Amino acid sequence: IERISGLIEVNAGVLTNTTQSGRAMAYQQEIQAAKLGPIVAELESSLRRMGCILLKLWQEYMPIDVTVHVLGESKKLEAVSFQIDENIRGTDVFVVQPTCAPVDEHLVELMIMIDAFRRSSAARITAVLPYYGYARQDRKDKPRVPISAKLVANVLSAAGTNRVLTMDLHKAQIQGFFDIPVDHLFAAPVIVDHLARLDATKLTLVAPDAGGAERARAYAKRLGGELAVIDKRRTDDGTAEVMNVIGDVQGRTCIIQDDIVDTAGTITKAATALKNNGAERVLACAVHGVLSGPAIERIEKSPIDKMIVTNTIPLSPEFKRCKKIRQLSVAEMLAETIRRMAVGESVSSMYVD
């Protein structure tokens, strides 16, 4: 049977679904009778902002009903309103909402949607968060500050979420903030596959700080490269100051690996330090490209040849025009995970070599 995927295309707030494969059609009646066909809900407003493909839903094994539910804004109340346009009683619902900037607005929209699905008697509601907002506020590092990552977990549970699907949390321990199941995905297979095509003979994976050494070591093991660590200290205003490079980078292709790149201060200073220590070429990769403030200016002026990020956060037009930035898609990974969750298959086996 010819392999055909259902590609979900997002363009100006319109979501369309391509033809299903013959194999998927054979299973359609059985799956619909069991009410396993998940409804993937997305905001029309978010679609306009993101302007990119969030999900590539494979339909060779299971047909998936994809529905766009529109959130309206009441001018009188200046609030978000939401209505589901079809019967979802007893269905498996996946609400796709990356909580990137504007984080607070996206979180409120997510809570309103989840509450509507809960009150409409959905059998199970899964919040799909490619990027988990407030993830870096996971502890009290100063007096009289909140632990916002825990608060978001509480609010998601209170709204009626039965399960959370997210990708590359800043700290894996954030899963413990939830009293509901959390499926924690990793973008490593997508990024490693891209890096493997570089055909670099002398490759060194670089952790921008001691905390990222474990992640960089895992990448180095898969790519057959060496490991180096940047020794840095942070000043009172939060800026990173590179102090030393631990490891051999002389004449080697260095890849700085991090989970989040925000203002790009840490990663660009690390690149400068690597060049000063004799690195032949410097690349950087991060799962979540927050890219706020002076990030684009810093990346353009830095010795970084290529900055690789995934589409867990949509790039603004300004960053799309930057020739140094390359965005990889994790759509197929999210889609395959949703399929496995819907039919009760193992998710962890996706990462077992």
Side-chain angles (χ1 to χ4, degrees):
I1 302 175
E2 182 182 3
R3 186 177 183 88
I4 303 174
S5 64
L7 177 61
I8 306 305
E9 298 178 346
V10 178
N11 185 9
V14 178
L15 201 63
T16 58
N17 194 1
T18 59
T19 306
Q20 300 182 47
S21 67
R23 190 174 181 182
M25 292 290 289
Y27 289 115
Q28 186 170 9
Q29 291 184 347
E30 179 182 351
I31 291 171
Q32 287 183 349
K35 294 184 178 179
L36 289 175
I39 297 175
V40 180
E42 182 50 88
L43 313 179
E44 185 182 60
S45 58
S46 294
L47 289 172
R48 292 196 185 99
R49 281 192 298 269
M50 287 187 283
C52 66
I53 295 175
L54 273 181
L55 288 177
K56 185 178 181 181
L57 300 175
W58 291 90
Q59 298 187 12
E60 181 174 358
Y61 305 104
M62 186 189 75
I64 296 178
D65 299 328
V66 181
T67 307
V68 176
H69 298 291
V70 180
L71 268 78
E73 295 183 2
S74 173
K75 295 182 179 178
K76 293 182 179 179
L77 301 177
E78 295 183 353
V80 175
S81 61
F82 177 68
Q83 182 178 8
I84 304 166
D85 297 329
E86 60 184 88
N87 177 32
I88 61 153
R89 184 180 296 273
T91 58
D92 203 355
V93 178
F94 293 82
V95 186
V96 184
Q97 178 77 322
T99 51
C100 53
V103 180
D104 299 335
E105 181 178 338
H106 283 153
L107 278 175
V108 171
E109 290 175 347
L110 177 62
M111 303 309 165
I112 290 174
M113 293 177 69
I114 291 172
D115 183 72
F117 285 116
R118 178 175 62 86
R119 296 177 187 276
S120 301
S121 301
R124 184 177 66 168
I125 303 170
T126 302
V128 182
L129 311 175
Y131 172 68
Y132 186 83
Y134 290 109
R136 286 175 285 182
Q137 298 180 22
D138 58 352
R139 65 192 187 281
K140 286 192 67 174
D141 55 349
K142 298 177 183 178
R144 299 174 296 280
V145 296
I147 304 179
S148 303
K150 169 61 175 172
L151 176 62
V152 171
N154 290 343
V155 173
L156 281 170
S157 299
T161 308
N162 302 117
R163 196 177 195 94
V164 171
L165 170 61
T166 188
M167 179 167 286
D168 278 281
L169 291 168
H170 186 58
K171 297 292 184 182
Q173 294 90 325
I174 292 177
Q175 297 174 76
F177 290 170
F178 290 88
D179 294 324
I180 56 177
V182 177
D183 286 293
H184 187 204
L185 304 185
F186 300 94
V190 175
I191 298 175
V192 168
D193 180 67
H194 178 78
L195 295 177
R197 300 174 188 175
L198 297 176
D199 295 327
T201 55
K202 296 181 178 180
L203 192 64
T204 297
L205 274 295
V206 182
D209 52 35
E214 183 179 356
R215 187 184 300 107
R217 186 184 298 111
Y219 276 65
K221 181 179 179 181
R222 292 195 176 196
L223 293 169
E226 300 295 328
L227 176 66
V229 179
I230 301 292
D231 173 33
K232 69 171 185 179
R233 296 180 184 177
R234 288 192 177 273
T235 55
D236 293 338
D237 59 359
T239 59
E241 182 180 359
V242 175
M243 302 298 294
N244 193 20
V245 178
I246 304 172
D248 181 21
V249 299
Q250 180 73 35
R252 303 181 69 88
T253 298
C254 296
I255 302 175
I256 307 169
Q257 204 289 323
D258 209 350
D259 63 327
I260 299 174
V261 54
D262 192 349
T263 60
T266 297
I267 213 161
T268 53
K269 288 184 178 180
T272 302
L274 292 171
K275 274 292 187 180
N276 293 339
N277 281 266
E280 181 180 342
R281 187 184 180 197
V282 178
L283 297 88
C285 61
V287 178
H288 308 296
V290 177
L291 300 173
S292 63
I296 189 168
E297 181 181 355
R298 288 174 174 173
I299 292 173
E300 290 282 11
K301 293 180 179 180
S302 73
I304 295 175
D305 294 337
K306 183 189 292 186
M307 177 75 221
I308 301 166
V309 296
T310 71
N311 61 347
T312 56
I313 297 177
L315 290 180
S316 66
E318 182 183 11
F319 285 98
K320 287 182 179 180
R321 290 191 294 267
C322 180
K323 295 181 180 180
K324 285 189 175 185
I325 297 178
R326 172 67 185 276
Q327 190 177 50
L328 306 179
S329 176
V330 294
E332 289 186 22
M333 180 179 292
L334 281 174
E336 173 63 11
T337 304
I338 289 175
R339 186 194 70 79
R340 292 186 180 214
M341 292 171 65
V343 299
E345 293 182 2
S346 171
V347 174
S348 61
S349 61
M350 294 171 60
Y351 300 96
V352 178
D353 294 327

